[in-house]
Amino acid sequence: MSPRKTKRTKKTSPKYIFVVGGVMSGVGKGITTSSIALILQSRGFSVTAVKIDPYVNVDAGTMNPVEHGETFVLDDGLECDQDMGNYERFLNVDLTATNYMTTGAVYQSVINQERNLKFGGKCVSVVPHIPNEVISRIKQAQKNSDADITVIEIGGTAGEYENLLFLEAARMMKLEAPDDVQFVLVSYLPIPSKIGEMKTKPTQHAARLLNSAGIQADWIVGRSSHPLDESRKKKLSVMCSVPEDQIISAPDVESIYHVPHNFEDDGLSTKMLKKFGLRPKKKDLKEWTALTNKVESATKEVRIGIVGKYFSTGDFVLSDAYISVIEAVKHAAYFYKVKPVIDWINSEEFEQDEEHLADLKVYDGIVIPGGFGSRGIEGKIKAIQFAREQKIPYLGLCYGMQMAVVEFARNVVGLSKAHTTEINPNTPDPVIDILPDQKEKLAKKDMGGTMRLGGYDCELQSKTMVRKLYGKANTRERHRHRYEFNNEYRDQLVENGLIISGLNTEQDLVEIIELPDHPFFVGTQFHPELQSRPLDPHPVFKGFIRAASKR
Ligand code: GLN
């Protein structure tokens, strides 16, 4: 299935829904935003989503995944927040750079306009020029996708200094068109173990903090480990001035894909559309329901080991750094009605003690995702060798493909010192080398948004396994890298059995490799996980999971 194309239904004025957080971050604002967008889309409206990040970073490309989670990449090459991936996955649309902004990006464009005399000699002030720029970007995103409804997620929580100017923009939009703007407060209701009761006070405070920014919530999405009961809803209603039937209970769920149904159990899409004066069309969540049914009915397990750097903060593991990989594995698993069990494996373990490699035998498939730098790299290469020799299905994504090439060069071709020049610039056999145009950028430390980014065409070579998986001769995939398969080694590696199954013919770059006589051994220079959708799993992941579940 190809991505949905949005088309506005009726030429009523465009509608906007702002989603703002309260109490604390990480309670599911992104999934709330995605789910609201999806249920409105399911009523026959064209819907788009915008993410606002309050960081000064111009984009998410320079942020450490441990702190910020995965850097998602759009087809147009923008490096952005992982929530953009959620929006694309839920809505099954391709978004563009206009759907994302940070404080840095907003200030940068206002400053550029000032340098170009766009303000005609006026004093440029934080207010209104910054909120005005925010508003014009939101409206541009609406226009670009011809959306009936635009759902905008404002990062951070109410009461923070950092997102105030974005709230200011939202407030101004409400003033301009009161009937066309609604506010959703996604808040958290704790149940302290020693008290054993769900507390509404932090949410009351959050609603008041929002009030102090001039915004009254229309909706409260109450996140908690348990559903909100009638008395909590009543209390919140009185204290926060939100009608009781506009308080939505959002308890923890097994799978994020259940959230839209939960919202619909509260009749959310109908109520929101009514409030906008839009006539709701018949609901169409058929495909989505089929998906959640599969999620529930899958019992046979497929065990996937993801070998990477251990992205931990203190005592906690942040799997957010690989969120799209996890989701892509799930999509393919649900397609085959198997239950994915995913483990994190620190590649450094294999460097300390090779005996740990035997632990990999319990896995039905091994993934090495994208990465940068030298930590744990030899461990990754050892894991790849193990997967190749033990015939465990292997999927290498970007760095995972590059390391598969290094492993093959070392252990099959006999180039024992082969490496990527990212790690060893003096290797005698640089089987992975820097892209020529990247050399200058690195030398100048021109790092932000300068990798080979976004969608590039890939020609799938006939008679390869990957070509069969795709069932077509050409594809377009998203990238984020500076290093690349060195064409000087192509003949030698191919003579020794490596199959090159995907090529970018414009730049003559190797995009996909595979090995014969193995249940599944594929490496992609691009990131297939970025384009996998729950209703349309990626063919490479499908091939991988099929092979894994046969094991
Ligand atoms: N570090 C490698 C490169 O820059 C791989 C990048 C990645 O895995 N995204 O080419």
Side-chain angles (χ1 to χ4, degrees):
M1 194 175 27
S2 52
R4 247 180 240 259
K5 292 266 175 291
T6 52
K7 186 114 195 77
R8 286 194 63 196
T9 49
K10 236 180 17 205
K11 298 293 165 197
T12 49
S13 53
K15 313 295 180 201
Y16 300 91
I17 297 171
F18 286 92
V19 179
V20 186
V23 178
M24 64 188 197
S25 66
V27 297
K29 242 185 315 156
I31 298 301
T32 299
T33 306
S34 307
S35 301
I36 289 175
L38 172 73
I39 59 177
L40 295 169
Q41 186 193 53
S42 81
R43 307 302 297 259
F45 293 94
S46 92
V47 180
T48 194
V50 171
K51 169 86 196 225
I52 296 178
D53 260 338
Y55 310 101
V56 180
N57 303 57
V58 173
D59 57 41
T62 54
M63 283 188 250
N64 182 337
V66 178
E67 272 177 46
H68 187 67
E70 168 190 88
T71 299
F72 194 77
V73 184
L74 301 180
D75 184 79
D76 62 16
L78 182 82
E79 296 169 287
C80 57
D81 184 78
Q82 61 181 43
D83 277 326
M84 296 287 283
N86 286 324
Y87 306 162
E88 285 200 342
R89 288 189 279 268
F90 274 66
L91 289 173
N92 199 14
V93 296
D94 286 342
L95 298 174
T96 67
T98 18
N99 293 73
Y100 183 70
M101 71 185 95
T102 64
T103 298
V106 170
Y107 270 88
Q108 194 178 49
S109 50
V110 172
I111 291 169
N112 287 344
Q113 290 165 46
E114 183 272 334
R115 295 287 81 186
N116 297 330
L117 294 179
K118 292 269 164 62
F119 294 100
K122 285 220 173 66
C123 168
V124 184
S125 319
V126 170
V127 181
H129 293 108
I130 298 296
N132 279 347
E133 171 68 19
V134 174
I135 292 169
S136 94
R137 281 168 175 247
I138 292 171
K139 290 188 173 171
Q140 195 57 48
Q142 181 277 325
K143 266 199 204 97
N144 284 2
S145 45
D146 200 17
D148 297 311
I149 304 166
T150 305
V151 189
I152 306 115
E153 177 185 350
I154 301 183
T157 43
E160 272 167 29
Y161 174 76
E162 288 201 314
N163 61 15
L164 255 185
L165 288 168
F166 298 111
L167 295 179
E168 189 68 359
R171 184 190 63 75
M172 286 157 71
M173 283 182 73
K174 175 83 177 174
L175 180 71
E176 185 188 291
D179 297 334
D180 292 341
V181 177
Q182 295 181 25
F183 290 102
V184 179
L185 172 64
V186 183
S187 191
Y188 191 73
L189 291 94
I191 307 177
S193 59
K194 289 278 183 294
I195 303 175
E197 185 199 341
M198 184 185 286
K199 304 305 277 179
T200 60
K201 188 71 80 175
T203 299
Q204 296 177 32
H205 284 306
R208 296 287 166 112
L209 281 168
L210 205 52
N211 289 156
S212 68
I215 293 171
Q216 169 61 45
D218 298 292
W219 308 89
I220 293 177
V221 171
R223 288 278 300 110
S224 188
S225 55
H226 291 71
L228 272 62
D229 58 14
E230 286 314 307
S231 73
R232 309 302 120 166
K233 283 191 178 180
K234 268 204 177 81
K235 198 167 200 176
L236 282 179
S237 172
V238 174
M239 303 308 287
C240 309
S241 294
V242 176
E244 225 177 291
D245 70 337
Q246 287 172 213
I247 296 172
I248 309 295
S249 168
D252 290 349
V253 279
E254 266 303 300
S255 151
I256 52 170
Y257 298 120
H258 282 106
V259 176
H261 285 309
N262 274 11
F263 285 177
E264 284 306 62
D265 289 345
D266 267 324
L268 184 58
S269 69
T270 304
K271 292 181 199 168
M272 280 184 151
L273 292 168
K274 250 200 191 142
K275 199 164 163 52
F276 276 137
L278 294 172
R279 193 169 330 153
K281 294 184 195 80
K282 209 166 155 263
K283 199 178 303 179
D284 181 8
L285 271 177
K286 261 196 298 306
E287 287 176 299
W288 203 263
T289 308
L291 168 77
T292 47
N293 286 343
K294 278 188 202 161
V295 174
E296 274 161 30
S297 62
T299 47
K300 189 192 153 202
E301 291 185 349
V302 61
R303 286 194 77 172
I304 304 298
I306 300 187
V307 179
K309 284 193 218 179
Y310 215 51
F311 282 126
S312 53
T313 56
D315 289 340
F316 301 94
V317 179
L318 273 187
S319 49
D320 261 13
Y322 301 120
I323 186 84
S324 293
V325 179
I326 301 171
E327 291 307 311
V329 164
K330 287 185 187 167
H331 303 159
Y334 297 145
F335 182 85
Y336 287 113
K337 302 200 178 84
V338 289
K339 185 178 176 172
V341 178
I342 298 170
D343 279 346
W344 304 100
I345 303 151
N346 178 1
S347 63
E348 283 169 300
E349 276 177 22
F350 308 132
E351 294 174 359
Q352 286 142 14
D353 185 355
E354 281 200 25
E355 305 234 309
H356 282 309
L357 283 168
D359 300 346
L360 291 176
K361 277 204 177 138
V362 304
Y363 294 104
D364 302 316
I366 293 169
V367 180
I368 297 199
F372 297 84
S374 61
R375 188 152 66 86
I377 201 78
E378 291 301 325
K380 286 183 190 174
I381 296 171
K382 287 206 173 96
I384 296 170
Q385 181 179 8
F386 192 82
R388 180 175 58 75
E389 292 176 349
Q390 302 291 320
K391 305 225 183 282
I392 304 174
Y394 173 75
L395 177 57
L397 307 168
C398 202
Y399 217 18
M401 172 268 200
Q402 296 177 354
M403 289 311 112
V405 172
V406 170
E407 192 280 319
F408 187 86
R410 286 186 189 178
N411 302 322
V412 178
V413 185
L415 306 171
S416 64
K417 295 205 167 83
H419 219 324
T420 165
T421 52
E422 176 173 354
I423 307 302
N424 180 5
N426 303 316
T427 168
D429 290 303
V431 288
I432 303 292
D433 198 7
I434 188 143
L435 285 158
D437 62 322
Q438 289 291 334
K439 233 181 221 158
E440 288 161 49
K441 291 173 187 162
L442 276 194
K444 282 193 273 173
K445 282 219 164 236
D446 178 10
M447 305 294 267
T450 59
M451 288 189 228
R452 180 168 178 256
L453 290 169
Y456 286 94
D457 294 331
C458 173
E459 201 182 274
L460 303 161
Q461 308 304 296
S462 54
K463 298 200 185 81
T464 62
M465 184 190 54
V466 165
R467 163 87 174 248
K468 259 185 235 125
L469 288 177
Y470 274 94
K472 58 183 180 181
N474 288 285
T475 184
R476 181 178 168 86
E477 298 280 355
R478 299 185 192 173
H479 300 70
R480 182 170 189 251
H481 63 120
R482 293 188 199 277
Y483 295 80
E484 174 61 43
F485 189 112
N486 184 346
N487 282 334
E488 288 186 14
Y489 287 86
R490 207 191 272 184
D491 291 345
Q492 199 180 356
L493 268 60
V494 168
E495 277 158 24
N496 281 276
L498 188 84
I499 296 171
I500 292 178
S501 32
L503 280 174
N504 174 280
T505 49
E506 240 164 87
Q507 291 171 284
D508 194 25
L509 299 178
V510 172
E511 292 279 4
I512 314 176
I513 57 137
E514 63 183 58
L515 288 182
D517 309 320
H518 192 287
F520 186 98
F521 192 104
V522 172
T524 61
Q525 182 54 76
F526 51 81
H527 292 272
E529 70 273 20
L530 299 178
Q531 290 198 99
S532 182
R533 307 269 163 90
L535 301 181
D536 189 15
H538 194 285
V540 170
F541 276 87
K542 269 162 72 179
F544 171 64
I545 291 296
R546 198 177 52 193
S549 50
K550 278 193 191 144
R551 207 173 124 82

